[in-house]
Amino acid sequence: TGPMSSECSGSLLRITLSAEYFKDKYLSLSVVDQAGVAWELDEAMASQCGYTVTYSNWSNTEFRASALSCHSHLERDVFTVTIQIKASHTPDMENAATHLKTASCHYGPWSPRELVCESNYMEVSVRKEVPQTVKDFIQDEPEDWTLAFPEAKAGEASVWQIVFHQPEEKKALLVSDAWSAGYGLNTTDTRVLLRIPYTAEQIQLVEEQGITFSAVRSSTFYKQQWMILMVDTAVACPVDGVDYANKTIIWTVPKYIQLLSAGATSFKDVLVEAGVDLHKLSAKEMASRKYVLLNDLNAITMKIPIGAEGGYYKTSVSSGQHGTKYTINLFLEHQWKDNKWGLTKYTVIKEIETPFEHTELAITKNSNVGARLMNVTVGTFLPDVELVNLTIEGVTVAVPEAVQHGCLIYEIRYANGSKAYVIQVPFDAPSIKKEYVSTDMRAYTLNVTLTFIIHPTSETFAVPVITVFTVKDAVLPSARGFCDGRNLHLIITHGNVDQNWLPFISDWHLSPEAAQKYNYSLRDNGSHLAISVPFLSSHVNYEDFHASGIKASLHLTLKDGITLANKKDFSISCRFSPSELIQCLPNGTVLITAVKLVGIADLDTSLLVLRDRECKPSLVTEKTATFKFNVNTCGTNRKFNSTTMTYENEVLYFRPGNDTPVYQLKFACSYAVKQTVDVRYESKKDPPPSIKPGFGSLALSLKLFKEKSYSDPYQKLEYPVVKYLREALYFEVELLQPEDARLELNLNDCWATNSQSQDSLPQWPILISGCANSEDSYRTVFHEVNYSSRVKFPQHLKRFEVRMFTFVQGTTLLQE
């Protein structure tokens, strides 16, 4: 069939343009006259010249031409029409391809009067040998022909004129004026034609049996030699008459229209036929499609089930909502005889479109957890819908660019022509929002808005798609804590859910600036967060104190960075030496710091006193109070024994009106009262040198050997060294300078990191205070060092064996 196909239907020629062939192309349609001149078609020219362009069945373009259209060639009841199609990929029609199509149709015999109601114009053609007019066919009004006669008589010879008969006046137009006003006129040897657009000024709306008609009552006449010929060119076409009930289209057309039957007194039905897309249907074909055609006394009625064969659904939009309309292109042909015209052929082409019906779009969601992919299927859609862009996180991108945001989009086509769109997105794509839900679950959310366009109307609608999948893959942060003499330390190992969690102590955000203000240590290397807080600080809680020590705790909460909801709590508790609270100076001055216990919530540290209640703290914070006084004041007691003098006092807190303290911190300072030193003296000429502690520079080396014999160390070019887990590593530490036989090398602490920085985290101790780490699954083994040709001072070397290990975070390898 090629890009265009043609078909004849009575006095109409139909040419259909292939939607598949002209897909995604800009079209320009022209009609070519007998001289070969192409006349580009627009709406005004189409309705004036007898052409109709419609879109049917999902973007198929249909061109229809009347037998007496402006540029058709009529010869011996055969009319020929040539059209030209230009197709281009750009709207400026650059590099357009040109297609010509010539089609001919035979039509005859012609009825004395033929009326066609097209979708964009009304057409009436009559024989020139018209019957004599009937006198006074409009009751109580003068005969129209008589009123037209003076105007015709005054006209120039052989010039057509049209007289429009309206209730208020009769208006005559010369042919040139009528053409300028948009009317189409044509004549052959035997026929006169008038074509009227529905937008014409002289159109009246009249009612017949409750149905509105677009009507024009006119007389077309001319002078030929000494004769005046006048033709009744009245025409009327129904503009409504369509109802909907029980999912059925009901189309009613009155049989006898007064305007078309003026002057006639007898009527007889000759033929009533109907069909779809200009194809007449037999009674059997109608029954198979469940169509009903009723020919009553006064009206012809067609009943079509919505969705029946012959029509099609097309996509529509109402208030931004997606829906459908059912469209069917019906036509009705009614032939009757009367005693004025003889046979009249009346053809009505009616494109019926049902009201908008909202359609819920199916959105199907599934995921492949193993491949970490989510799939969303949107649809089904009719073939006239196309996905054009997506809006992701406020950014609108065309479909081909969506892959840059991690979205792979492809189209699924079904056998009936419908289609769906599939969006495939990896869980780890930047467009996916990840959120910790509970326990070990994470929620992955895709929030995207799809924009579709409808062809050929270019209407658009949007479909929001919000898809949430929960996956059991959450790794929560973990922590370990320890204390040294003056600080509490927490080292938090990050999980995969806490990227936007913030550290809080109580309701105080521990930001880097805040940590610096309070002299806290806060370090984050991406995998670990290390926090160090001094024992005496306002964010440490003190739970109790005994002679054995003071129990202090640090509580840290990780909160959501947006909602500030609590996500994970960590704490560490340690006992610190009581000596951290007191200083006994040689001059008899005592500095004692009392701490607020969590069990006494209402304690006001500024109201703490010593035994002498006049002795108040010199420095107060929310949780501490520091007193500075001399041992001979503030109610301090003294005790003596043979060697020491002890001063005792206590810090007290009394609630108002109560002499029994609710807080009591006893403390003491002891001083030596007598000290004996025995000195041994011996006279020698060359006394041995005395050894005193001191500081200096030592040159050390750390080497890795290939085997236990420690004979073959790894050379610089052999690094990095690759070992399997639990395979032995042989280390040797050697004191290089000074070479003093009196020195002995002892290893105190040794630890491993996963970077070249000795201070980086995470860390794992290999030696602690010179001993193997008791928490190691495979203990560090020391090897004896003996004198050899390479080892001059065995006491300057230490050798030990460590089993190969790696750092992990949860179940994830941090670095190989």
Side-chain angles (χ1 to χ4, degrees):
T1 58
M4 291 179 278
S5 60
S6 63
E7 187 177 8
C8 300
S9 180
S11 63
L12 294 170
L13 163 68
R14 178 170 65 181
I15 297 176
T16 302
L17 279 62
S18 167
E20 193 65 31
Y21 186 87
F22 290 106
K23 182 181 180 183
D24 299 329
K25 294 177 182 175
Y26 295 90
L27 302 181
S28 171
L29 194 150
S30 301
V31 183
V32 182
D33 63 16
Q34 296 177 49
V37 178
W39 299 83
E40 188 171 357
L41 201 60
D42 58 23
E43 290 184 7
M45 176 182 169
S47 60
Q48 185 175 35
C49 283
Y51 306 120
T52 304
V53 179
T54 63
Y55 300 94
S56 62
N57 204 18
W58 305 310
S59 297
N60 274 341
T61 303
E62 181 178 298
F63 167 83
R64 294 196 294 268
S66 168
L68 295 176
S69 58
C70 294
H71 307 96
S72 63
H73 175 58
L74 182 62
E75 185 175 357
R76 295 180 182 178
D77 291 337
V78 175
F79 65 96
T80 302
V81 176
T82 300
I83 66 169
Q84 173 186 280
I85 303 293
K86 289 187 175 181
S88 173
H89 290 283
T90 57
D92 58 7
M93 303 305 291
E94 189 175 346
N95 299 322
T98 302
H99 305 267
L100 286 174
K101 177 71 174 179
T102 300
S104 299
C105 291
H106 177 271
Y107 180 63
W110 290 78
S111 300
R113 180 171 63 159
E114 296 199 1
L115 301 109
V116 177
C117 298
E118 252 287 11
S119 60
N120 59 329
Y121 63 85
M122 303 183 291
E123 182 180 279
V124 54
S125 72
V126 297
R127 283 181 186 166
K128 286 184 177 179
E129 300 82 13
V130 294
Q132 295 297 319
T133 60
V134 180
K135 186 178 181 180
D136 297 332
F137 62 81
I138 298 181
Q139 187 177 357
D140 300 329
E141 286 192 15
E143 215 285 306
D144 287 342
W145 300 107
T146 306
L147 291 173
F149 186 83
E151 300 177 15
K153 187 176 180 181
E156 297 179 13
S158 301
V159 176
W160 287 70
Q161 297 189 37
I162 306 173
V163 175
F164 293 99
H165 305 270
Q166 296 179 307
E168 303 83 6
E169 60 178 350
K170 308 296 185 286
K171 182 176 182 180
L173 292 178
L174 297 177
V175 172
S176 58
D177 295 332
W179 186 265
S180 298
Y183 297 97
L185 301 103
N186 201 351
T187 181
T188 68
D189 293 340
T190 59
R191 302 194 72 79
V192 174
L193 175 136
L194 173 65
R195 189 176 298 111
I196 306 169
Y198 286 109
T199 56
E201 183 181 351
Q202 276 70 33
I203 281 183
Q204 303 173 55
L205 296 179
V206 297
E207 273 200 10
E208 291 284 348
Q209 302 178 34
I211 293 174
T212 303
F213 280 76
S214 179
V216 170
R217 183 168 167 239
S218 63
S219 303
T220 303
F221 57 92
Y222 62 97
K223 291 193 301 182
Q224 185 172 343
Q225 297 179 357
W226 52 270
M227 295 177 64
I228 297 174
L229 299 179
M230 290 176 288
V231 183
D232 182 356
T233 48
V235 63
C237 292
V239 295
D240 56 18
V242 179
D243 290 317
Y244 308 94
N246 300 322
K247 293 193 176 296
T248 301
I249 300 169
I250 303 169
W251 179 34
T252 303
V253 180
K255 268 188 175 181
Y256 305 110
I257 302 146
Q258 182 180 0
L259 187 64
L260 304 181
S261 307
T265 57
S266 65
F267 303 92
K268 180 184 177 181
D269 268 345
V270 175
L271 180 70
V272 173
E273 290 185 314
V276 176
D277 292 330
L278 300 183
H279 291 285
K280 294 179 181 179
L281 297 177
S282 66
K284 184 178 180 180
E285 288 173 321
M286 286 197 181
S288 70
R289 299 184 182 196
K290 298 183 179 180
Y291 293 4
V292 176
L293 178 62
L294 300 176
N295 184 8
D296 297 331
L297 182 63
N298 297 316
I300 302 167
T301 302
M302 283 192 76
K303 295 183 179 181
I304 310 292
I306 294 176
E309 180 186 353
Y312 64 97
Y313 283 99
K314 63 182 180 181
T315 309
S316 185
V317 177
S318 178
S319 301
Q321 296 296 307
H322 165 270
T324 57
K325 293 179 179 180
Y326 174 74
T327 299
I328 189 166
N329 198 17
L330 299 175
F331 87 98
L332 174 69
E333 183 178 305
H334 180 206
Q335 296 184 27
W336 73 83
K337 282 186 177 181
D338 58 39
N339 60 349
K340 176 185 176 183
W341 287 99
L343 185 64
T344 295
K345 182 180 178 182
Y346 186 58
T347 303
V348 182
I349 299 171
K350 187 72 172 179
E351 183 176 358
I352 297 176
E353 184 178 272
T354 61
F356 174 86
E357 184 176 351
H358 176 65
T359 305
E360 287 291 342
L361 281 172
I363 299 178
T364 307
K365 312 167 186 176
N366 59 74
S367 64
N368 184 337
V369 176
R372 293 185 64 77
L373 286 173
M374 64 172 68
N375 293 283
V376 181
T377 304
V378 184
T380 57
F381 297 99
L382 295 174
D384 57 355
V385 169
E386 180 187 2
L387 176 63
V388 288
N389 61 51
L390 303 84
T391 302
I392 306 169
E393 296 180 331
V395 179
T396 300
V397 296
V399 171
E401 299 169 6
V403 68
Q404 299 173 12
H405 294 259
C407 296
L408 176 64
I409 299 171
Y410 57 92
E411 183 181 284
I412 301 175
R413 287 191 175 269
Y414 301 106
N416 63 357
S418 62
K419 58 186 175 181
Y421 288 93
V422 177
I423 306 169
Q424 189 178 83
V425 189
F427 283 165
D428 299 313
S431 55
I432 299 296
K433 177 184 177 184
K434 306 174 190 68
E435 187 176 13
Y436 170 61
V437 181
S438 61
T439 317
D440 53 359
M441 305 294 291
R442 277 200 295 178
Y444 293 83
T445 303
L446 171 66
N447 189 344
V448 61
T449 299
L450 311 178
T451 301
F452 297 86
I453 190 170
I454 303 170
H455 298 292
T457 63
S458 296
E459 291 181 285
T460 60
F461 64 93
V463 178
V465 176
I466 301 176
T467 303
V468 180
F469 290 102
T470 54
V471 181
K472 192 175 182 179
D473 68 348
V475 178
L476 291 174
S478 59
R480 65 184 180 92
F482 62 94
C483 298
D484 55 25
R486 292 183 172 274
N487 299 280
L488 296 94
H489 304 275
L490 266 177
I491 299 177
I492 298 171
T493 302
H494 289 303
N496 61 7
V497 298
D498 56 321
Q499 292 85 356
N500 298 315
W501 293 2
L502 302 175
F504 277 77
I505 300 177
S506 297
D507 289 326
W508 178 69
H509 176 208
L510 184 58
S511 64
E513 296 77 16
Q516 186 177 12
K517 175 182 176 182
Y518 285 89
N519 200 27
Y520 298 171
S521 173
L522 181 67
R523 292 175 295 157
D524 194 330
N525 66 355
S527 62
H528 293 79
L529 173 67
I531 300 166
S532 299
V533 177
F535 158 63
L536 289 177
S537 66
S538 58
H539 296 100
V540 172
N541 293 323
Y542 306 99
E543 299 177 17
D544 61 46
F545 46 74
H546 300 286
S548 59
I550 303 157
K551 187 177 182 181
S553 61
L554 175 66
H555 298 277
L556 184 131
T557 301
L558 294 181
K559 295 189 177 188
D560 187 283
I562 299 173
T563 65
L564 297 183
N566 288 1
K567 293 297 184 181
K568 186 75 174 176
D569 295 314
F570 300 105
S571 65
I572 178 174
S573 295
C574 297
R575 286 202 174 271
F576 288 86
S577 169
S579 62
E580 295 296 322
L581 299 181
I582 190 169
Q583 290 185 45
C584 303
L585 302 180
N587 64 356
T589 299
V590 177
L591 292 172
I592 179 69
T593 299
V595 294
K596 178 180 179 178
L597 299 180
V598 293
I600 311 176
D602 61 343
L603 188 148
D604 184 348
T605 54
S606 66
L607 300 180
L608 289 169
V609 295
L610 299 179
R611 284 177 180 165
D612 182 349
R613 296 189 188 183
E614 295 300 318
C615 292
K616 302 184 184 302
S618 57
L619 179 63
V620 173
T621 68
E622 182 184 356
K623 292 188 177 181
T624 64
T626 301
F627 295 84
K628 183 179 181 180
F629 65 99
N630 190 273
V631 294
N632 295 318
T633 62
C634 296
T636 306
N637 293 334
R638 289 182 295 176
K639 290 183 179 180
F640 296 90
N641 61 26
S642 59
T643 59
T644 61
M645 178 182 294
T646 303
Y647 295 88
E648 296 178 341
N649 207 324
E650 53 190 341
V651 180
L652 306 169
Y653 179 73
F654 300 91
R655 288 198 173 98
N658 194 330
D659 286 337
T660 302
V662 295
Y663 177 97
Q664 192 172 21
L665 173 64
K666 294 183 178 181
F667 60 93
C669 283
S670 296
Y671 295 90
V673 296
K674 183 175 71 174
Q675 183 175 8
T676 301
V677 178
D678 294 329
V679 178
R680 183 177 179 181
Y681 176 79
E682 187 173 353
S683 175
K684 286 188 177 180
K685 289 184 179 180
D686 297 309
S690 60
I691 300 175
K692 294 183 180 181
F695 298 91
S697 297
L698 302 175
L700 300 170
S701 73
L702 173 64
K703 295 178 181 177
L704 177 62
F705 285 77
K706 296 179 180 179
E707 53 188 355
K708 193 175 180 179
S709 64
Y710 287 90
S711 60
D712 187 11
Y714 284 99
Q715 302 301 318
K716 185 175 182 180
L717 294 177
E718 294 179 279
Y719 284 91
V721 175
V722 178
K723 293 283 187 178
Y724 293 100
L725 288 176
R726 294 191 291 276
E727 193 174 355
L729 301 170
Y730 301 100
F731 290 97
E732 178 186 89
V733 183
E734 180 180 6
L735 174 63
L736 301 177
Q737 292 292 335
E739 293 184 354
D740 190 337
R742 295 172 299 174
L743 297 179
E744 182 177 352
L745 174 66
N746 289 292
L747 301 182
N748 192 35
D749 292 318
C750 180
W751 64 95
T753 67
N754 68 342
S755 76
Q756 294 185 3
S757 172
Q758 65 179 18
D759 296 322
S760 67
L761 295 174
Q763 299 179 356
W764 183 253
I766 295 172
L767 299 178
I768 301 174
S769 300
C771 300
N773 184 356
S774 61
E775 295 184 10
D776 247 338
S777 301
Y778 297 90
R779 296 285 184 88
T780 302
V781 178
F782 287 89
H783 295 295
E784 185 177 357
V785 182
N786 297 313
Y787 181 84
S788 68
S789 59
R790 189 176 71 83
V791 180
K792 184 178 180 181
F793 302 110
Q795 66 271 29
H796 287 188
L797 281 82
K798 286 291 185 287
R799 292 172 177 169
F800 56 93
E801 173 184 335
V802 178
R803 294 289 174 172
M804 184 65 189
F805 66 96
T806 186
F807 288 93
V808 294
Q809 178 176 307
T811 59
T812 303
L813 185 67
L814 286 184
Q815 182 174 327
E816 296 192 21

